[in-house]
Amino acid sequence: MTSLWESVASRGAAGRGALHSPTASVELSSLAQASCLGGRLESLRGRSILLARQEQMSTALALLELDGIARRVVLCTPELTPETLAEVALIAGTGVQLGDLDPQPIAMDVDREATLATEWILLTSGTTGTPKLVAHTLPSLAGTLSRQPPAERMVWSTFYDIRRYGGLQIYLRAVLGGTPLVLSSAGESTADFLARAGAHGVTHISGTPSHWRRALMSGAARALQPDYVRLSGEVADQGLLDQLREAYPQARIGHAFASTEAGVAFDVNDGRAGFPAEYLQAPRDGIEMKVVEGTLRIRSHRTAARYLGGAVSPLSSEDGFVDTGDLVELEDGRYYFRGRRGGVINVGGMKVYPEEVEGVLNADPRVRMSRVSPKRNPITGAIVVAEVVLEDSASPGLGAPQAEQIKQELLEACRRTLPAHKVPARLSFVPALPLSAAGKLVRS
């Protein structure tokens, strides 16, 4: 049993790693004979701990100190209400709640010998009410992530909060590989974050497709020149992949599929949306996938152990596969994501996948973001409506005739590509679309 800190220290990664927030920078090597827990580490051994901190830096340092020491660590995101935090604490059986501490380590003798296989509890996103609590361990989270230092200089960053699965993956990549990590901040604008990432020389950066659309709209995407751009968490359509290729011609553009429950399933780095059908034909890195009734299912060593709470349904089926709820369709030897099973729009008994329609709209170079949703209709049950955000250059001074022309051209593109029932019955231009705390497009 090896803890996160022991893995970092034994490979010399602490000497190369660092964490950077808007207000502080911490070299991991400073933790060798110091602590950010104010001398409380030994009193926390064997305890179940709720990490309810506003700042990511505080959480990032606490995870290095608590893995192998605490019985359970619950990673709470800052938007949770006091009522939800109380419910989470009750379900997880936590006896200690740790808030924000000074991020600068204080010199002291520290015994971080691992005596437990700590459970890492992540909260699902995109749910109403109390989120589900998903139990992982360091091996299931880190999986096959490289523990070796990179051959070339590498600096990671992510739009994600590291307390969410997508962000936690980048955090573990950085600290285990001994590379600096630039943390985002909820109070920081996209432009300020990108400028700070550029100032730190970020070479590898990840986020949701919605994060990247917002970055492109901000006009600040050129603040950094990454070697690798990674997308996950939402459907990555071809239009966005092409826009990122244009913005970062020197970079490798990849998108990954992962979920809090199933873990990381695969990366796609060929510049195309979807993934090759051959991924389902044989296990890859010990990860098996299949499609059942149109939804992708995954079985792997990176799957979470279980949900906490007796009233929650099993995390996986009897054969060990996790139903992701993500719909895929096979087309010309490649599977394409169509959206979430619960997000399908029913138009007169015919299915419409919002993400499929958005993919057509987003393919137009004048479009930066779009959202497709249902509107009640007494005849068909629902009709399809679309909200579109145009790129900055098309928005200022957009007169009614020009707006109407663009609208008709977008609808004509939908008519050429989609069956009639999928074409938006109404399309409107909006200045912005809301994102959730997880960086995903809010769908009501």
PDB file of all heavy atoms in Angstrom, residues 345 354 357-358 361 371-376 382-388 422-428:
ATOM      1  N   ILE A 345     -35.257  14.580 -26.909  1.00  0.00           N
ATOM      2  CA  ILE A 345     -36.500  15.313 -27.135  1.00  0.00           C
ATOM      3  C   ILE A 345     -37.429  14.439 -27.971  1.00  0.00           C
ATOM      4  O   ILE A 345     -37.005  13.883 -28.993  1.00  0.00           O
ATOM      5  CB  ILE A 345     -36.229  16.642 -27.860  1.00  0.00           C
ATOM      6  CG1 ILE A 345     -35.263  17.502 -27.045  1.00  0.00           C
ATOM      7  CG2 ILE A 345     -37.533  17.392 -28.122  1.00  0.00           C
ATOM      8  CD1 ILE A 345     -34.783  18.740 -27.794  1.00  0.00           C
ATOM      9  N   PRO A 354     -30.368  16.574 -28.753  1.00  0.00           N
ATOM     10  CA  PRO A 354     -29.968  17.990 -28.806  1.00  0.00           C
ATOM     11  C   PRO A 354     -28.546  18.188 -29.303  1.00  0.00           C
ATOM     12  O   PRO A 354     -28.279  19.098 -30.104  1.00  0.00           O
ATOM     13  CB  PRO A 354     -30.124  18.448 -27.354  1.00  0.00           C
ATOM     14  CG  PRO A 354     -31.176  17.552 -26.784  1.00  0.00           C
ATOM     15  CD  PRO A 354     -30.946  16.226 -27.438  1.00  0.00           C
ATOM     16  N   VAL A 357     -28.097  18.186 -33.156  1.00  0.00           N
ATOM     17  CA  VAL A 357     -28.496  19.433 -33.800  1.00  0.00           C
ATOM     18  C   VAL A 357     -27.476  20.527 -33.510  1.00  0.00           C
ATOM     19  O   VAL A 357     -27.105  21.321 -34.392  1.00  0.00           O
ATOM     20  CB  VAL A 357     -29.904  19.857 -33.336  1.00  0.00           C
ATOM     21  CG1 VAL A 357     -30.349  21.121 -34.074  1.00  0.00           C
ATOM     22  CG2 VAL A 357     -30.912  18.727 -33.551  1.00  0.00           C
ATOM     23  N   GLU A 358     -26.997  20.590 -32.268  1.00  0.00           N
ATOM     24  CA  GLU A 358     -25.983  21.581 -31.905  1.00  0.00           C
ATOM     25  C   GLU A 358     -24.720  21.404 -32.730  1.00  0.00           C
ATOM     26  O   GLU A 358     -24.066  22.380 -33.109  1.00  0.00           O
ATOM     27  CB  GLU A 358     -25.667  21.477 -30.418  1.00  0.00           C
ATOM     28  CG  GLU A 358     -26.801  21.955 -29.519  1.00  0.00           C
ATOM     29  CD  GLU A 358     -26.677  21.489 -28.081  1.00  0.00           C
ATOM     30  OE1 GLU A 358     -25.669  20.838 -27.734  1.00  0.00           O
ATOM     31  OE2 GLU A 358     -27.603  21.770 -27.298  1.00  0.00           O
ATOM     32  N   LEU A 361     -25.218  23.213 -35.987  1.00  0.00           N
ATOM     33  CA  LEU A 361     -25.154  24.656 -35.804  1.00  0.00           C
ATOM     34  C   LEU A 361     -23.735  25.121 -35.505  1.00  0.00           C
ATOM     35  O   LEU A 361     -23.255  26.120 -36.049  1.00  0.00           O
ATOM     36  CB  LEU A 361     -26.096  25.076 -34.666  1.00  0.00           C
ATOM     37  CG  LEU A 361     -27.590  24.844 -34.906  1.00  0.00           C
ATOM     38  CD1 LEU A 361     -28.368  25.064 -33.615  1.00  0.00           C
ATOM     39  CD2 LEU A 361     -28.109  25.766 -35.999  1.00  0.00           C
ATOM     40  N   ARG A 371     -27.464  25.971 -27.942  1.00  0.00           N
ATOM     41  CA  ARG A 371     -28.178  25.071 -27.039  1.00  0.00           C
ATOM     42  C   ARG A 371     -29.532  24.739 -27.661  1.00  0.00           C
ATOM     43  O   ARG A 371     -30.291  25.634 -28.020  1.00  0.00           O
ATOM     44  CB  ARG A 371     -28.375  25.702 -25.657  1.00  0.00           C
ATOM     45  CG  ARG A 371     -29.177  24.816 -24.697  1.00  0.00           C
ATOM     46  CD  ARG A 371     -29.205  25.349 -23.278  1.00  0.00           C
ATOM     47  NE  ARG A 371     -29.904  26.626 -23.173  1.00  0.00           N
ATOM     48  CZ  ARG A 371     -30.087  27.279 -22.023  1.00  0.00           C
ATOM     49  NH1 ARG A 371     -29.581  26.778 -20.893  1.00  0.00           N
ATOM     50  NH2 ARG A 371     -30.735  28.424 -21.991  1.00  0.00           N
ATOM     51  N   VAL A 372     -29.793  23.458 -27.780  1.00  0.00           N
ATOM     52  CA  VAL A 372     -31.055  22.982 -28.339  1.00  0.00           C
ATOM     53  C   VAL A 372     -31.873  22.367 -27.221  1.00  0.00           C
ATOM     54  O   VAL A 372     -31.355  21.586 -26.408  1.00  0.00           O
ATOM     55  CB  VAL A 372     -30.791  21.952 -29.463  1.00  0.00           C
ATOM     56  CG1 VAL A 372     -32.070  21.248 -29.883  1.00  0.00           C
ATOM     57  CG2 VAL A 372     -30.142  22.642 -30.653  1.00  0.00           C
ATOM     58  N   SER A 373     -33.135  22.717 -27.152  1.00  0.00           N
ATOM     59  CA  SER A 373     -34.003  22.247 -26.072  1.00  0.00           C
ATOM     60  C   SER A 373     -35.428  22.088 -26.588  1.00  0.00           C
ATOM     61  O   SER A 373     -35.764  22.561 -27.672  1.00  0.00           O
ATOM     62  CB  SER A 373     -33.959  23.228 -24.897  1.00  0.00           C
ATOM     63  OG  SER A 373     -34.273  24.531 -25.332  1.00  0.00           O
ATOM     64  N   PRO A 374     -36.291  21.414 -25.806  1.00  0.00           N
ATOM     65  CA  PRO A 374     -37.679  21.233 -26.224  1.00  0.00           C
ATOM     66  C   PRO A 374     -38.571  22.381 -25.769  1.00  0.00           C
ATOM     67  O   PRO A 374     -38.296  23.034 -24.761  1.00  0.00           O
ATOM     68  CB  PRO A 374     -38.074  19.939 -25.519  1.00  0.00           C
ATOM     69  CG  PRO A 374     -37.265  19.944 -24.258  1.00  0.00           C
ATOM     70  CD  PRO A 374     -35.964  20.621 -24.605  1.00  0.00           C
ATOM     71  N   LYS A 375     -39.602  22.615 -26.507  1.00  0.00           N
ATOM     72  CA  LYS A 375     -40.663  23.535 -26.099  1.00  0.00           C
ATOM     73  C   LYS A 375     -41.986  22.802 -26.272  1.00  0.00           C
ATOM     74  O   LYS A 375     -42.229  22.162 -27.301  1.00  0.00           O
ATOM     75  CB  LYS A 375     -40.635  24.805 -26.944  1.00  0.00           C
ATOM     76  CG  LYS A 375     -41.719  25.813 -26.548  1.00  0.00           C
ATOM     77  CD  LYS A 375     -41.602  27.087 -27.344  1.00  0.00           C
ATOM     78  CE  LYS A 375     -42.742  28.057 -27.027  1.00  0.00           C
ATOM     79  NZ  LYS A 375     -42.804  28.409 -25.590  1.00  0.00           N
ATOM     80  N   ARG A 376     -42.818  22.875 -25.262  1.00  0.00           N
ATOM     81  CA  ARG A 376     -44.089  22.146 -25.294  1.00  0.00           C
ATOM     82  C   ARG A 376     -44.929  22.555 -26.506  1.00  0.00           C
ATOM     83  O   ARG A 376     -44.977  23.726 -26.883  1.00  0.00           O
ATOM     84  CB  ARG A 376     -44.883  22.406 -24.015  1.00  0.00           C
ATOM     85  CG  ARG A 376     -44.277  21.766 -22.780  1.00  0.00           C
ATOM     86  CD  ARG A 376     -45.176  21.982 -21.568  1.00  0.00           C
ATOM     87  NE  ARG A 376     -44.575  21.437 -20.370  1.00  0.00           N
ATOM     88  CZ  ARG A 376     -44.684  20.168 -19.982  1.00  0.00           C
ATOM     89  NH1 ARG A 376     -45.358  19.313 -20.743  1.00  0.00           N
ATOM     90  NH2 ARG A 376     -44.119  19.760 -18.862  1.00  0.00           N
ATOM     91  N   ALA A 382     -43.775  18.210 -28.270  1.00  0.00           N
ATOM     92  CA  ALA A 382     -42.644  19.132 -28.143  1.00  0.00           C
ATOM     93  C   ALA A 382     -42.183  19.534 -29.526  1.00  0.00           C
ATOM     94  O   ALA A 382     -42.394  18.819 -30.507  1.00  0.00           O
ATOM     95  CB  ALA A 382     -41.501  18.491 -27.363  1.00  0.00           C
ATOM     96  N   ILE A 383     -41.574  20.694 -29.611  1.00  0.00           N
ATOM     97  CA  ILE A 383     -40.863  21.113 -30.807  1.00  0.00           C
ATOM     98  C   ILE A 383     -39.433  21.448 -30.406  1.00  0.00           C
ATOM     99  O   ILE A 383     -39.128  21.631 -29.221  1.00  0.00           O
ATOM    100  CB  ILE A 383     -41.523  22.337 -31.485  1.00  0.00           C
ATOM    101  CG1 ILE A 383     -41.604  23.515 -30.505  1.00  0.00           C
ATOM    102  CG2 ILE A 383     -42.888  21.977 -32.046  1.00  0.00           C
ATOM    103  CD1 ILE A 383     -42.069  24.813 -31.159  1.00  0.00           C
ATOM    104  N   VAL A 384     -38.560  21.534 -31.389  1.00  0.00           N
ATOM    105  CA  VAL A 384     -37.152  21.815 -31.146  1.00  0.00           C
ATOM    106  C   VAL A 384     -36.904  23.310 -31.289  1.00  0.00           C
ATOM    107  O   VAL A 384     -37.284  23.921 -32.296  1.00  0.00           O
ATOM    108  CB  VAL A 384     -36.269  21.042 -32.146  1.00  0.00           C
ATOM    109  CG1 VAL A 384     -34.795  21.401 -31.942  1.00  0.00           C
ATOM    110  CG2 VAL A 384     -36.484  19.538 -31.987  1.00  0.00           C
ATOM    111  N   VAL A 385     -36.271  23.905 -30.269  1.00  0.00           N
ATOM    112  CA  VAL A 385     -35.876  25.309 -30.350  1.00  0.00           C
ATOM    113  C   VAL A 385     -34.378  25.409 -30.091  1.00  0.00           C
ATOM    114  O   VAL A 385     -33.795  24.572 -29.388  1.00  0.00           O
ATOM    115  CB  VAL A 385     -36.648  26.189 -29.341  1.00  0.00           C
ATOM    116  CG1 VAL A 385     -38.135  26.155 -29.637  1.00  0.00           C
ATOM    117  CG2 VAL A 385     -36.383  25.749 -27.913  1.00  0.00           C
ATOM    118  N   ALA A 386     -33.760  26.427 -30.693  1.00  0.00           N
ATOM    119  CA  ALA A 386     -32.311  26.582 -30.584  1.00  0.00           C
ATOM    120  C   ALA A 386     -31.959  28.004 -30.178  1.00  0.00           C
ATOM    121  O   ALA A 386     -32.573  28.970 -30.653  1.00  0.00           O
ATOM    122  CB  ALA A 386     -31.637  26.235 -31.905  1.00  0.00           C
ATOM    123  N   GLU A 387     -30.978  28.115 -29.289  1.00  0.00           N
ATOM    124  CA  GLU A 387     -30.380  29.399 -28.923  1.00  0.00           C
ATOM    125  C   GLU A 387     -28.938  29.382 -29.409  1.00  0.00           C
ATOM    126  O   GLU A 387     -28.221  28.397 -29.201  1.00  0.00           O
ATOM    127  CB  GLU A 387     -30.414  29.599 -27.414  1.00  0.00           C
ATOM    128  CG  GLU A 387     -31.808  29.600 -26.804  1.00  0.00           C
ATOM    129  CD  GLU A 387     -31.755  29.405 -25.308  1.00  0.00           C
ATOM    130  OE1 GLU A 387     -31.581  28.238 -24.884  1.00  0.00           O
ATOM    131  OE2 GLU A 387     -31.871  30.400 -24.578  1.00  0.00           O
ATOM    132  N   VAL A 388     -28.522  30.461 -30.039  1.00  0.00           N
ATOM    133  CA  VAL A 388     -27.211  30.500 -30.686  1.00  0.00           C
ATOM    134  C   VAL A 388     -26.435  31.730 -30.228  1.00  0.00           C
ATOM    135  O   VAL A 388     -26.982  32.838 -30.188  1.00  0.00           O
ATOM    136  CB  VAL A 388     -27.361  30.512 -32.224  1.00  0.00           C
ATOM    137  CG1 VAL A 388     -26.010  30.733 -32.905  1.00  0.00           C
ATOM    138  CG2 VAL A 388     -27.989  29.207 -32.703  1.00  0.00           C
ATOM    139  N   LYS A 422     -36.001  17.139 -36.751  1.00  0.00           N
ATOM    140  CA  LYS A 422     -34.871  17.590 -35.940  1.00  0.00           C
ATOM    141  C   LYS A 422     -34.499  19.047 -36.213  1.00  0.00           C
ATOM    142  O   LYS A 422     -33.702  19.635 -35.466  1.00  0.00           O
ATOM    143  CB  LYS A 422     -33.649  16.696 -36.185  1.00  0.00           C
ATOM    144  CG  LYS A 422     -33.846  15.245 -35.767  1.00  0.00           C
ATOM    145  CD  LYS A 422     -32.583  14.429 -35.970  1.00  0.00           C
ATOM    146  CE  LYS A 422     -32.795  12.984 -35.539  1.00  0.00           C
ATOM    147  NZ  LYS A 422     -31.571  12.156 -35.683  1.00  0.00           N
ATOM    148  N   VAL A 423     -35.054  19.623 -37.251  1.00  0.00           N
ATOM    149  CA  VAL A 423     -34.738  21.008 -37.591  1.00  0.00           C
ATOM    150  C   VAL A 423     -35.437  21.941 -36.598  1.00  0.00           C
ATOM    151  O   VAL A 423     -36.633  21.810 -36.346  1.00  0.00           O
ATOM    152  CB  VAL A 423     -35.198  21.332 -39.022  1.00  0.00           C
ATOM    153  CG1 VAL A 423     -34.945  22.807 -39.349  1.00  0.00           C
ATOM    154  CG2 VAL A 423     -34.470  20.436 -40.024  1.00  0.00           C
ATOM    155  N   PRO A 424     -34.696  22.898 -36.004  1.00  0.00           N
ATOM    156  CA  PRO A 424     -35.331  23.800 -35.034  1.00  0.00           C
ATOM    157  C   PRO A 424     -36.532  24.531 -35.630  1.00  0.00           C
ATOM    158  O   PRO A 424     -36.458  25.080 -36.734  1.00  0.00           O
ATOM    159  CB  PRO A 424     -34.208  24.776 -34.679  1.00  0.00           C
ATOM    160  CG  PRO A 424     -32.949  24.011 -34.932  1.00  0.00           C
ATOM    161  CD  PRO A 424     -33.237  23.144 -36.114  1.00  0.00           C
ATOM    162  N   ALA A 425     -37.623  24.514 -34.884  1.00  0.00           N
ATOM    163  CA  ALA A 425     -38.799  25.270 -35.301  1.00  0.00           C
ATOM    164  C   ALA A 425     -38.625  26.743 -34.984  1.00  0.00           C
ATOM    165  O   ALA A 425     -39.301  27.589 -35.570  1.00  0.00           O
ATOM    166  CB  ALA A 425     -40.036  24.724 -34.589  1.00  0.00           C
ATOM    167  N   ARG A 426     -37.727  27.044 -34.057  1.00  0.00           N
ATOM    168  CA  ARG A 426     -37.453  28.422 -33.700  1.00  0.00           C
ATOM    169  C   ARG A 426     -35.982  28.553 -33.349  1.00  0.00           C
ATOM    170  O   ARG A 426     -35.422  27.708 -32.634  1.00  0.00           O
ATOM    171  CB  ARG A 426     -38.320  28.864 -32.519  1.00  0.00           C
ATOM    172  CG  ARG A 426     -38.214  30.359 -32.239  1.00  0.00           C
ATOM    173  CD  ARG A 426     -39.253  30.804 -31.227  1.00  0.00           C
ATOM    174  NE  ARG A 426     -38.979  30.267 -29.907  1.00  0.00           N
ATOM    175  CZ  ARG A 426     -39.840  30.321 -28.901  1.00  0.00           C
ATOM    176  NH1 ARG A 426     -41.043  30.823 -29.092  1.00  0.00           N
ATOM    177  NH2 ARG A 426     -39.512  29.837 -27.715  1.00  0.00           N
ATOM    178  N   LEU A 427     -35.337  29.587 -33.848  1.00  0.00           N
ATOM    179  CA  LEU A 427     -33.917  29.839 -33.574  1.00  0.00           C
ATOM    180  C   LEU A 427     -33.766  31.306 -33.178  1.00  0.00           C
ATOM    181  O   LEU A 427     -34.266  32.194 -33.863  1.00  0.00           O
ATOM    182  CB  LEU A 427     -33.078  29.515 -34.808  1.00  0.00           C
ATOM    183  CG  LEU A 427     -31.554  29.578 -34.668  1.00  0.00           C
ATOM    184  CD1 LEU A 427     -30.882  28.604 -35.644  1.00  0.00           C
ATOM    185  CD2 LEU A 427     -31.007  30.981 -34.890  1.00  0.00           C
ATOM    186  N   SER A 428     -33.084  31.529 -32.081  1.00  0.00           N
ATOM    187  CA  SER A 428     -32.861  32.891 -31.610  1.00  0.00           C
ATOM    188  C   SER A 428     -31.394  33.081 -31.255  1.00  0.00           C
ATOM    189  O   SER A 428     -30.691  32.129 -30.896  1.00  0.00           O
ATOM    190  CB  SER A 428     -33.738  33.201 -30.397  1.00  0.00           C
ATOM    191  OG  SER A 428     -33.455  32.298 -29.333  1.00  0.00           O
TER     192      SER A 428
END
